Amino acid sequence: MSRTDANPSGRLPDAFTTPGTASFVDFLHSYAPDLLPRNRPLPAGSSAADLVAPHATTIVAVAYDGGIVMAGDRRATMGSMIASRSIEKVFPADEYSAVGIAGTAGLAIELVRLFQLELEHYEKIEGSLLSLDGKANRLATIIRGQLSMALQGLAVVPLFGGYDLDKHTGRIFSYDVTGGRYEEQDHHAVGSGSVFARGSLKKRWRPGLDEASAVKVAVEALMDAADDDSATGGPDTERSIYPVVAAVGSAGYRRVPDEELASAADGVLAARRAARGGDAQ
Amino acid sequence: MSMPFYVSPEQLMKDRADYARKGIARGRSVVVLQYDEGVLFATENPSRALHKVSEIYDRIAFAAVGKYNEFENLRVAGVRYADLRGYSYDRVDVTARGLANAYAQTLGTVFTTESKPLEVELVVVEVGAAPAGDQIYRLSYDGSVADEHGWVVMGGQAERLASVLGGQWREGMTLREALTLAVHVLGAPTDDGAKQRTLEATGLEVAVLDRTRPRRAFRRLTGPVLEGLLAKKGGARAHAAQPAGDDSTGDAAATP
């Protein structure tokens, strides 16, 4: 806030009192562009391949009757090393939506902060919530601003989902690094373990799921991804680290508590043991 | 050619202050008062869209009287100030004191340097974890700041209403008691001969900063929730029996 303090009269600068935009990103762009993550070019000649930054992995989203469930594992990797076993990659975007991120962890978390603030800022200034499509488009704009960094290897790929207050249904949106926005039907996964997670989702998802079964489907998909992808972590019962799972329905965002996830994970393991010949003692 | 008359600085400032005061006095009053679980804002405002009371940040709200376009501009500036500060530092580093200072400098500079002062009066409130941590700042058109305790009345009949409110407010009122008092004060007679008016829920704009809410403390009270709170004790048993359920309906009703 040094710019504000530098104003000789101490008066709020003109940028603050200029009417027009309800977008925090646009305001930052005109007043403090250096705070936007997009305005940080890498030095010429360097590439992100030389750079070792933590990388966040698999996110899955599942639609159920009246909402969506989004789940992310807790692992971040740095090359072949595990950078963090308790990172969180699924966040509330606002009261009725959730955003999960895969890609360069530091940048992704910064983008999520910016996106959350963008939605809240609009809500406070306009006095009303953005539509779910409006929120999805704002996220696309933010991701598009990152294109040059993505081309240098610092890509961020989000997964966005929420409850549409007009259509009374849950919806899921995926993105590519150019800011392309695609609405997904039923379920989707992004990140390094997404190939395995998608396979699992295809077999386990069915129409008319309720919230509890959708949580189970999402947890099982993450466990399948963790099985085959070294960058995805499964539920860690020893340290009680479970995936971050969010359920968004007509009542708003809810983080599913660890006890429910533990029983979902135990249920999956028990079913697999039983299927293998009942050596569950 | 006529020579410009000399106007003494005292006279100049006095004229501006009179001008601003007249503009502010034309508007309806806003009442702000502390209750046990937060701070209540109430005003007569038939509009559902043009608010006089708004959220600035997690624990901070803003109320204003005077010219709508001028205080709306200050409100947006306050939201931008708070969001930028919270983004640069952290959410807990956004304080009502910092915002009140920024507003005071802005109002003061406009008052002394521009041809017309801002015809507004503002209140900036932050709720703390306990009533002792609540901060209420009142800002005038000339940039002066007052740190208020317990309650504030601004706008048209401020002095008359303040004497009514000051006599009846006490620490630790419940939300229902505070709202009843606020509505009583807003409906108080404006002249010696006038009668006490009864105000309907539809003509009121009511909001609270509720310290018990987890992050964003600001909540508008509208529709059935407000009617339930305004109803006489006997008719409002359903509300009293379900304080938790009341909260969720409040959210639904508050969604603009």
Side-chain angles (χ1 to χ4, degrees):
Chain A
M1 293 290 291
S2 55
R3 289 168 211 80
T4 318
D5 304 337
N7 194 313
S9 71
R11 177 182 176 169
L12 286 167
D14 286 344
F16 285 72
T17 48
T18 309
T21 179
S23 160
F24 185 72
V25 174
D26 292 353
F27 168 66
L28 269 192
H29 193 72
S30 69
Y31 180 65
D34 52 312
L35 285 179
L36 278 179
R38 70 181 71 155
N39 293 311
R40 271 171 234 147
L42 290 181
S46 72
S47 95
D50 321 330
L51 186 83
V52 185
H55 202 84
T57 49
T58 317
I59 308 288
V60 303
V62 180
Y64 67 88
D65 236 13
I68 60 124
V69 164
M70 190 176 286
D73 72 303
R74 302 290 290 271
R75 183 171 290 181
T77 55
M78 215 155 61
S80 63
M81 204 173 83
I82 293 173
S84 168
R85 54 174 63 86
S86 60
I87 189 176
E88 300 199 352
K89 297 178 277 190
V90 173
F91 304 88
D94 69 353
E95 221 177 309
Y96 290 101
S97 58
V99 58
I101 41 135
T104 312
L107 268 180
I109 287 167
E110 188 178 3
L111 290 184
V112 167
R113 259 186 95 205
L114 188 62
F115 180 54
Q116 288 170 326
L117 194 52
E118 176 80 358
L119 299 186
E120 188 189 318
H121 191 79
Y122 180 94
E123 188 188 330
K124 285 192 288 196
I125 288 195
E126 295 290 320
S128 60
L129 289 169
L130 269 171
S131 65
L132 193 66
D133 284 296
K135 293 173 199 171
N137 285 339
R138 285 315 299 174
L139 183 56
T141 312
I142 291 175
I143 295 300
R144 196 169 298 132
Q146 296 293 117
L147 182 57
S148 68
M149 293 181 97
L151 292 178
Q152 293 178 79
L154 300 174
V156 175
V157 181
L159 189 58
F160 177 69
Y163 182 75
D164 192 322
L165 290 163
D166 301 320
K167 295 182 179 163
H168 307 288
T169 174
R171 296 167 71 193
I172 299 166
F173 298 89
S174 71
Y175 296 83
D176 63 29
V177 290
T178 62
R181 185 205 99 166
Y182 314 96
E183 181 160 4
E184 302 293 341
Q185 303 302 319
D186 310 337
H187 50 75
H188 196 69
V190 295
S192 61
S194 62
V195 180
F196 312 109
R198 278 182 210 174
S200 172
L201 287 170
K202 266 182 216 162
K203 296 295 170 214
R204 287 295 179 192
W205 187 88
R206 58 186 192 281
L209 284 176
D210 61 9
E211 189 193 299
S213 349
V215 168
K216 281 192 195 121
V217 169
V219 168
E220 186 166 2
L222 281 181
M223 290 167 77
D224 281 329
D227 236 11
D228 292 313
D229 173 35
S230 63
T232 303
D236 187 342
T237 47
E238 193 184 322
R239 298 189 186 84
S240 293
I241 300 173
Y242 291 97
V244 179
V245 182
V248 188
S250 57
Y253 182 97
R254 179 179 83 98
R255 179 158 170 182
V256 180
D258 279 356
E259 301 81 68
E260 276 179 50
L261 299 176
S263 78
D266 287 347
V268 171
L269 290 177
R272 288 184 183 177
R273 272 196 295 266
R276 232 183 26 236
D279 58 349
Q281 297 169 359
Chain B
M1 283 294 287
S2 61
M3 289 283 289
F5 290 107
Y6 170 75
V7 182
S8 70
E10 289 86 353
Q11 187 60 42
L12 189 70
M13 290 303 150
K14 186 173 170 303
D15 287 352
R16 284 186 179 179
D18 286 345
Y19 178 83
R21 262 200 293 266
K22 260 185 225 156
I24 293 164
R26 273 195 290 272
R28 294 191 191 267
S29 302
V30 172
V31 177
V32 180
L33 66 165
Q34 209 180 20
Y35 66 98
D36 54 357
E37 289 184 338
V39 177
L40 171 80
F41 303 80
T43 179
E44 267 186 87
N45 186 359
S47 169
R48 300 247 145 260
L50 308 174
H51 296 300
K52 292 186 183 180
V53 182
S54 314
E55 174 184 21
I56 295 283
Y57 210 62
D58 293 352
R59 319 298 286 178
I60 304 175
F62 165 102
V65 292
K67 273 192 94 178
Y68 178 79
N69 67 324
E70 292 178 353
F71 69 68
E72 171 66 8
N73 201 253
L74 288 171
R75 180 187 75 88
V76 170
V79 171
R80 287 176 180 161
Y81 168 92
D83 280 346
L84 178 60
R85 208 177 170 85
Y87 186 65
S88 317
Y89 301 131
D90 186 75
R91 298 196 80 91
V92 298
D93 299 310
V94 181
T95 59
R97 198 183 56 79
L99 181 64
N101 271 330
Y103 277 146
Q105 297 299 341
T106 307
L107 289 163
T109 313
V110 172
F111 184 75
T112 48
T113 61
E114 293 191 8
S115 53
K116 183 190 100 54
L118 293 172
E119 296 160 67
V120 294
E121 203 170 346
L122 316 176
V123 163
V124 175
V125 179
E126 179 176 353
V127 283
D134 291 354
Q135 298 171 41
I136 305 179
Y137 297 100
R138 175 194 191 141
L139 296 119
S140 299
Y141 52 85
D142 60 354
S144 57
V145 191
D147 186 356
E148 304 278 357
H149 294 280
W151 55 270
V152 178
V153 184
M154 322 180 276
Q157 302 289 324
E159 278 176 30
R160 181 180 281 266
L161 301 188
S163 66
V164 180
L165 181 55
Q168 298 188 36
W169 180 84
R170 60 187 164 73
E171 265 179 59
M173 296 175 102
T174 63
L175 176 57
R176 181 186 291 274
E177 289 167 351
L179 182 62
T180 310
L181 173 58
V183 174
H184 173 74
V185 169
L186 289 173
T190 48
D191 305 304
D192 288 330
K195 282 192 180 145
Q196 175 79 30
R197 292 177 301 139
T198 313
L199 304 177
E200 294 298 321
T202 48
L204 287 170
E205 178 182 354
V206 180
V208 290
L209 274 177
D210 182 348
R211 77 176 92 254
T212 61
R213 285 167 69 86
R215 191 169 72 88
R216 290 167 74 177
F218 186 83
R219 171 160 84 103
R220 290 189 191 284
L221 303 180
T222 53
V225 179
L226 181 59
E227 280 160 23
L229 282 169
L230 282 171
K232 294 276 175 285
K233 281 265 162 45
R237 226 176 297 129
H239 165 76
Q242 292 180 309
D246 166 52
D247 235 279
S248 57
T249 51
D251 278 348
T255 307

